Amino acid sequence: MVIFLLKIIFLAITTSWNLLTRLLFTAVANLLVVSIHAFKVPGEAARGALEQVAEALRGCLEYFLELLIEAVKTLISTVFDALINGVSGSAVFAGSAIGGLVEQTRTNLEGLLTDVPELLESFSEMISTMVSDLWNNYKDALGYVTENA
């Protein structure tokens, strides 16, 4: 249960980081492109700026909706997994209460040792995803500036 909660926390941190960096890099890229266009022709710059803002908002909204859909899918999946685990755990416990307690104690001690690598793996995956998202958002913003400048 603790690992499940930590995985949800890691997912929230990773998603927030990705959203924050995407928003930051997109905003900076759009401001840079708008500034470049402002020095060209003022009329074109105003029209271009409005189009850029609309495009940035549309892109951020699409991205946020994709993240929201992914989070809902993950939540539904984990709820079903927890429900299946709960039902199967209840059936085993009802079958042999005393043997189940002894086995559960042993399993919990083993589980404690096996959860640590899983926790470390989840944490390292979160850090890796955050760095990867930062780099991809940076490259997207840089590509946007080079295409539209």
Side-chain angles (χ1 to χ4, degrees):
M1 186 64 169
V2 172
I3 295 298
F4 171 72
L5 292 175
L6 287 174
K7 282 186 176 183
I8 288 177
I9 291 171
F10 290 161
L11 175 67
I13 290 171
T14 303
T15 303
S16 300
W17 175 260
N18 192 12
L19 187 61
L20 178 70
T21 57
R22 180 179 270 303
L23 184 64
L24 178 71
F25 283 125
T26 302
V28 170
N30 284 328
L31 286 174
L32 188 59
V33 168
V34 167
S35 298
I36 291 171
H37 284 286
F39 289 118
K40 288 184 178 178
V41 178
E44 288 179 11
R47 180 175 165 252
L50 291 176
E51 289 175 358
Q52 297 297 330
V53 169
E55 187 175 307
L57 289 175
R58 188 178 310 116
C60 286
L61 182 62
E62 288 174 1
Y63 184 71
F64 180 73
L65 288 176
E66 287 175 9
L67 285 176
L68 185 63
I69 289 170
E70 187 64 34
V72 167
K73 283 197 282 189
T74 303
L75 180 64
I76 289 171
S77 173
T78 53
V79 166
F80 281 130
D81 289 343
L83 183 63
I84 289 170
N85 288 338
V87 168
S88 64
S90 296
V92 169
F93 182 75
S96 62
I98 295 174
L101 286 175
V102 171
E103 182 65 27
Q104 191 175 16
T105 302
R106 186 175 64 88
T107 303
N108 284 342
L109 289 176
E110 289 175 356
L112 182 63
L113 297 176
T114 59
D115 286 346
V116 171
E118 185 179 349
L119 179 63
L120 290 176
E121 180 183 337
S122 296
F123 183 74
S124 66
E125 182 180 324
M126 178 190 75
I127 296 298
S128 171
T129 303
M130 288 172 69
V131 170
S132 174
D133 289 344
L134 176 69
W135 180 249
N136 288 336
N137 290 337
Y138 169 75
K139 287 190 330 187
D140 290 345
L142 189 61
Y144 179 78
V145 169
T146 57
E147 284 179 13
N148 295 305

